[in-house]
Amino acid sequence: VPCAWPTPQPVSGDLTFVAISAGNTFTCAVSPSAEAWCWGGLDLPWSDGMGRLGVLGDGGSRGSAIPVKVAGNHRFTEVVAGTRSTCGVTEGNEGYCWGVNSSGELGIGTVDDNGHANPTRLGHGITWSHIKAGDSSCGLDQQGVAYCWAMIYGDPDTSGGIRIRGLWTSPTLLPDPVK
Protein backbone atom coordinates (compact mmCIF):
# COMPACT_ATOMS: atom_id res chain seq x y z
CA VAL A 1 0.00 0.00 0.00
CA PRO A 2 1.58 3.30 -0.99
CA CYS A 3 2.00 5.93 1.71
CA ALA A 4 0.04 9.14 1.13
CA TRP A 5 2.91 11.22 2.55
CA PRO A 6 6.37 9.77 1.82
CA THR A 7 7.99 12.25 4.25
CA PRO A 8 6.86 13.30 7.76
CA GLN A 9 4.20 16.02 7.81
CA PRO A 10 2.99 18.14 10.74
CA VAL A 11 -0.37 17.18 12.23
CA SER A 12 -3.11 19.71 11.48
CA GLY A 13 -4.66 21.75 14.24
CA ASP A 14 -1.87 23.76 15.91
CA LEU A 15 -1.66 21.27 18.78
CA THR A 16 1.42 20.02 20.58
CA PHE A 17 1.79 16.67 22.32
CA VAL A 18 3.87 15.07 25.06
CA ALA A 19 3.08 11.46 24.08
CA ILE A 20 1.82 9.77 20.90
CA SER A 21 0.80 6.27 19.81
CA ALA A 22 -0.16 5.00 16.36
CA GLY A 23 -2.77 2.26 15.91
CA ASN A 24 -3.73 0.39 12.77
CA THR A 25 -5.32 3.30 10.86
CA PHE A 26 -5.50 5.98 13.56
CA THR A 27 -3.28 7.83 16.03
CA CYS A 28 -3.87 9.14 19.56
CA ALA A 29 -1.78 11.55 21.62
CA VAL A 30 -1.71 13.42 24.93
CA SER A 31 -1.39 17.22 25.01
CA PRO A 32 0.64 19.16 27.61
CA SER A 33 -2.70 19.88 29.37
CA ALA A 34 -3.35 16.08 29.70
CA GLU A 35 -6.12 16.00 27.08
CA ALA A 36 -6.27 12.98 24.78
CA TRP A 37 -6.70 13.62 21.05
CA CYS A 38 -7.15 11.09 18.23
CA TRP A 39 -7.28 11.28 14.43
CA GLY A 40 -7.49 8.93 11.46
CA GLY A 41 -9.92 6.04 11.05
CA LEU A 42 -10.94 7.45 7.67
CA ASP A 43 -12.90 5.52 5.04
CA LEU A 44 -10.07 5.53 2.51
CA PRO A 45 -9.39 2.85 -0.13
CA TRP A 46 -6.45 1.41 1.85
CA SER A 47 -8.01 1.69 5.33
CA ASP A 48 -10.73 -0.18 7.13
CA GLY A 49 -12.87 2.82 8.16
CA MET A 50 -12.20 2.35 11.87
CA GLY A 51 -13.71 5.77 12.66
CA ARG A 52 -17.17 4.26 12.46
CA LEU A 53 -16.16 1.81 15.19
CA GLY A 54 -15.34 4.46 17.79
CA VAL A 55 -11.53 4.36 17.68
CA LEU A 56 -11.29 8.14 18.03
CA GLY A 57 -13.09 8.11 21.38
CA ASP A 58 -14.90 11.36 20.67
CA GLY A 59 -18.39 9.93 20.99
CA GLY A 60 -18.84 9.92 17.22
CA SER A 61 -18.76 7.34 14.48
CA ARG A 62 -16.65 9.05 11.81
CA GLY A 63 -12.98 9.28 11.12
CA SER A 64 -11.18 12.62 11.11
CA ALA A 65 -8.10 13.90 9.28
CA ILE A 66 -7.50 16.39 12.11
CA PRO A 67 -7.23 15.59 15.84
CA VAL A 68 -10.50 15.40 17.78
CA LYS A 69 -10.64 15.58 21.57
CA VAL A 70 -11.45 12.32 23.35
CA ALA A 71 -14.78 12.58 25.21
CA GLY A 72 -15.16 12.69 28.96
CA ASN A 73 -12.77 15.45 30.10
CA HIS A 74 -10.37 12.89 31.54
CA ARG A 75 -6.79 14.00 32.19
CA PHE A 76 -4.49 11.36 30.71
CA THR A 77 -0.85 10.61 31.43
CA GLU A 78 -0.69 8.10 28.54
CA VAL A 79 -2.80 6.70 25.72
CA VAL A 80 -1.85 3.63 23.73
CA ALA A 81 -3.48 2.93 20.38
CA GLY A 82 -3.87 -0.77 19.64
CA THR A 83 -4.98 -2.49 16.47
CA ARG A 84 -8.63 -1.43 16.74
CA SER A 85 -8.94 0.13 20.19
CA THR A 86 -7.18 2.57 22.51
CA CYS A 87 -6.58 2.49 26.26
CA GLY A 88 -5.21 5.17 28.52
CA VAL A 89 -4.29 5.95 32.11
CA THR A 90 -5.52 9.14 33.78
CA GLU A 91 -3.70 11.35 36.27
CA GLY A 92 -5.86 9.63 38.93
CA ASN A 93 -4.52 6.21 37.80
CA GLU A 94 -7.85 5.09 36.32
CA GLY A 95 -7.85 3.08 33.10
CA TYR A 96 -10.17 3.83 30.18
CA CYS A 97 -10.57 2.11 26.80
CA TRP A 98 -12.57 2.83 23.63
CA GLY A 99 -13.00 1.40 20.13
CA VAL A 100 -13.68 -2.16 18.98
CA ASN A 101 -14.56 -4.87 21.53
CA SER A 102 -15.01 -7.98 19.35
CA SER A 103 -12.29 -9.88 21.25
CA GLY A 104 -12.67 -8.22 24.64
CA GLU A 105 -10.15 -5.45 23.80
CA LEU A 106 -11.88 -2.94 26.09
CA GLY A 107 -11.69 -5.16 29.16
CA ILE A 108 -15.28 -4.37 30.14
CA GLY A 109 -16.42 -7.95 30.81
CA THR A 110 -18.19 -8.52 27.49
CA VAL A 111 -17.52 -9.19 23.82
CA ASP A 112 -19.57 -7.51 21.11
CA ASP A 113 -19.28 -6.21 17.56
CA ASN A 114 -20.28 -2.65 18.44
CA GLY A 115 -17.95 0.30 18.36
CA HIS A 116 -17.58 1.98 21.76
CA ALA A 117 -17.00 5.63 20.89
CA ASN A 118 -16.69 6.92 24.47
CA PRO A 119 -14.00 6.00 26.99
CA THR A 120 -15.21 3.20 29.28
CA ARG A 121 -13.71 2.59 32.73
CA LEU A 122 -11.37 -0.39 32.88
CA GLY A 123 -10.90 -2.62 35.93
CA HIS A 124 -12.78 -0.80 38.68
CA GLY A 125 -10.67 -0.82 41.81
CA ILE A 126 -7.35 -1.23 39.98
CA THR A 127 -4.99 1.74 40.20
CA TRP A 128 -3.13 1.61 36.87
CA SER A 129 0.38 2.83 36.14
CA HIS A 130 0.68 1.67 32.50
CA ILE A 131 -1.54 -0.03 29.90
CA LYS A 132 -0.61 -1.46 26.49
CA ALA A 133 -3.50 -2.00 24.05
CA GLY A 134 -3.77 -4.47 21.19
CA ASP A 135 -5.50 -7.71 20.23
CA SER A 136 -4.14 -8.83 23.61
CA SER A 137 -3.92 -6.02 26.15
CA CYS A 138 -2.05 -5.86 29.44
CA GLY A 139 -1.43 -3.32 32.14
CA LEU A 140 0.47 -2.80 35.37
CA ASP A 141 -1.05 -1.57 38.58
CA GLN A 142 0.76 0.82 40.93
CA GLN A 143 2.47 -2.13 42.66
CA GLY A 144 3.76 -3.60 39.37
CA VAL A 145 1.21 -6.46 39.28
CA ALA A 146 0.37 -7.46 35.68
CA TYR A 147 -3.20 -7.88 34.40
CA CYS A 148 -4.20 -8.94 30.87
CA TRP A 149 -7.43 -9.14 28.87
CA ALA A 150 -8.71 -9.87 25.34
CA MET A 151 -7.34 -12.76 23.27
CA ILE A 152 -4.43 -14.40 25.03
CA TYR A 153 -2.18 -16.19 22.56
CA GLY A 154 -0.16 -19.24 23.49
CA ASP A 155 1.86 -22.01 21.90
CA PRO A 156 2.18 -22.63 18.17
CA ASP A 157 -0.35 -25.16 16.92
CA THR A 158 0.39 -28.01 14.52
CA SER A 159 -0.66 -25.97 11.45
CA GLY A 160 1.98 -23.29 12.09
CA GLY A 161 -0.49 -20.80 13.59
CA ILE A 162 -0.76 -19.65 17.17
CA ARG A 163 -3.27 -21.34 19.44
CA ILE A 164 -5.55 -19.01 21.38
CA ARG A 165 -5.14 -19.90 25.05
CA GLY A 166 -8.07 -17.91 26.36
CA LEU A 167 -10.34 -14.93 26.09
CA TRP A 168 -10.39 -12.77 29.18
CA THR A 169 -13.01 -10.06 28.84
CA SER A 170 -11.89 -8.11 31.91
CA PRO A 171 -8.48 -7.49 33.49
CA THR A 172 -7.25 -10.80 34.91
CA LEU A 173 -4.22 -11.45 37.10
CA LEU A 174 -1.60 -13.40 35.22
CA PRO A 175 -1.12 -16.94 36.55
CA ASP A 176 2.14 -17.87 38.23
CA PRO A 177 4.82 -18.71 35.65
CA VAL A 178 5.69 -22.32 34.95
CA LYS A 179 9.07 -23.12 36.48
Side-chain angles (χ1 to χ4, degrees):
V1 174
C3 182
W5 299 282
T7 59
Q9 301 293 313
V11 174
S12 299
D14 291 328
L15 293 167
T16 60
F17 301 106
V18 296
I20 193 166
S21 179
N24 193 16
T25 61
F26 62 98
T27 301
C28 295
V30 177
S31 72
S33 60
E35 296 171 320
W37 295 79
C38 296
W39 60 96
L42 301 169
D43 287 318
L44 299 171
W46 61 84
S47 80
D48 48 15
M50 286 291 168
R52 71 180 180 282
L53 299 174
V55 297
L56 302 187
D58 64 340
S61 60
R62 305 193 85 150
S64 176
I66 60 172
V68 294
K69 187 177 172 202
V70 171
N73 295 316
H74 305 291
R75 295 179 54 82
F76 288 93
T77 57
E78 72 175 4
V79 291
V80 179
T83 307
R84 302 177 305 159
S85 61
T86 299
C87 293
V89 176
T90 67
E91 289 178 340
N93 301 107
E94 295 176 332
Y96 287 89
C97 297
W98 58 91
V100 175
N101 193 44
S102 60
S103 297
E105 294 96 320
L106 304 186
I108 58 176
T110 62
V111 173
D112 60 60
D113 290 328
N114 301 320
H116 295 258
N118 289 297
T120 303
R121 180 83 186 271
L122 171 69
H124 291 276
I126 300 172
T127 55
W128 297 101
S129 63
H130 299 286
I131 296 174
K132 298 300 179 196
D135 290 338
S136 297
S137 297
C138 293
L140 297 175
D141 72 8
Q142 291 291 302
Q143 291 73 42
V145 176
Y147 293 81
C148 293
W149 60 97
M151 281 190 193
I152 306 303
Y153 297 96
D155 307 322
D157 65 20
T158 56
S159 68
I162 299 294
R163 185 177 327 150
I164 295 174
R165 295 297 241 185
L167 179 63
W168 298 333
T169 60
S170 59
T172 304
L173 277 170
L174 290 180
D176 289 332
V178 176
K179 296 180 181 182

